[in-house]
Amino acid sequence: MSIFVKRKIRDRENRPPKSDRQVLQQSAERQFKRQFFGLLLVIVTWSLAMGWLLALATNAQSATPNAEIGTVDVVPAQYQLGQELYLENCSTCHIGLPPAVLPTQTWKNLLEDSQHYGAQLKPLVDPSRILVWKYLSTFSRVQRDDEETPYRLNNSRYFKALHPGVKLPRPVQVGSCVSCHQGASDYNFRRLTAEWE
């Protein structure tokens, strides 16, 4: 036998017997460790299951075909009536533009002014105006403090950012959207001509 094994045996023989209290304490410590690791295992398993379910839900949303979405953004239920009212009031005269192409301040000014690019409009009244505003303000973008409020597409940095590398006609007009976005008249800016797909 090795020296270490002999020492261990000798140490055990020389050790005084454990009292009942010590045995109970060690037993309680072991039980506490088992419970702790059991709880830890439950928490880790729960976290992994929730992460897996969240990943499934996220993949299901991203797997939605573009043709089903229709517009630029998926519009949650609480904004859909605002979107419908926006299109009902704006796309009767021209193509309805996605709110993201102009900053929020532009949309606010357009909603408040009855003069609309040289035409006198009947202003929207509440609650329709509030619903349209909630839709437009949610899906439009912030304007920088040093930026002038753009009222034309070719002056909007967001419109330019959404069309990188596209040679746009001068001036950019709302009607020219159809030349690349075949479904623009149906408020579908995802369906593009073959040249851009």
Side-chain angles (χ1 to χ4, degrees):
M1 275 196 211
S2 76
I3 297 173
F4 295 111
V5 173
K6 287 179 183 176
R7 268 192 204 161
K8 260 190 168 178
I9 293 172
R10 193 174 6 127
D11 288 346
R12 279 190 196 154
E13 291 170 355
N14 294 338
R15 202 180 312 160
K18 293 182 183 177
S19 68
D20 289 341
R21 184 173 179 209
Q22 287 176 330
V23 171
L24 284 173
Q25 186 177 4
Q26 285 179 344
S27 174
E29 286 174 359
R30 272 187 252 129
Q31 186 177 4
F32 175 76
K33 285 180 183 178
R34 266 188 258 129
Q35 287 176 345
F36 175 76
F37 286 116
L39 179 63
L40 188 63
L41 181 65
V42 167
I43 291 172
V44 168
T45 305
W46 175 259
S47 299
L48 289 172
M50 292 306 291
W52 179 71
L53 289 172
L54 222 102
L56 282 178
T58 304
N59 286 341
Q61 274 187 339
S62 65
T64 306
N66 290 344
E68 290 180 26
I69 294 171
T71 64
V72 174
D73 297 305
V74 175
V75 179
Q78 71 258 29
Y79 301 109
Q80 286 177 356
L81 183 56
Q83 181 188 36
E84 289 171 22
L85 289 167
Y86 163 71
L87 291 173
E88 183 180 298
N89 285 283
C90 298
S91 67
T92 53
C93 299
H94 57 77
I95 292 171
L97 294 173
V101 299
L102 293 169
T104 308
Q105 188 61 44
T106 302
W107 292 113
K108 181 179 183 291
N109 295 348
L110 289 173
L111 273 179
E112 292 174 347
D113 193 4
S114 61
Q115 284 292 324
H116 188 73
Y117 298 99
Q120 181 70 31
L121 298 178
K122 185 176 127 190
L124 283 173
V125 292
D126 294 346
S128 297
R129 184 184 61 83
I130 293 170
L131 292 168
V132 170
W133 170 243
K134 283 186 179 182
Y135 166 68
L136 292 172
S137 63
T138 300
F139 291 97
S140 59
R141 300 166 193 252
V142 180
Q143 179 176 323
R144 290 189 300 215
D145 292 334
D146 63 338
E147 185 179 17
E148 193 174 314
T149 304
Y151 291 98
R152 300 285 179 195
L153 288 175
N154 55 329
N155 295 334
S156 170
R157 69 185 170 99
Y158 293 118
F159 179 78
K160 292 173 187 171
L162 288 167
H163 297 83
V166 177
K167 291 187 176 158
L168 300 166
R170 296 277 179 202
V172 176
Q173 296 178 353
V174 176
S176 62
C177 297
V178 180
S179 62
C180 297
H181 301 276
Q182 294 173 336
S185 56
D186 298 324
Y187 202 57
N188 182 343
F189 290 87
R190 290 187 182 273
R191 195 171 73 225
L192 300 170
T193 58
E195 176 188 351
W196 294 105
E197 283 190 346

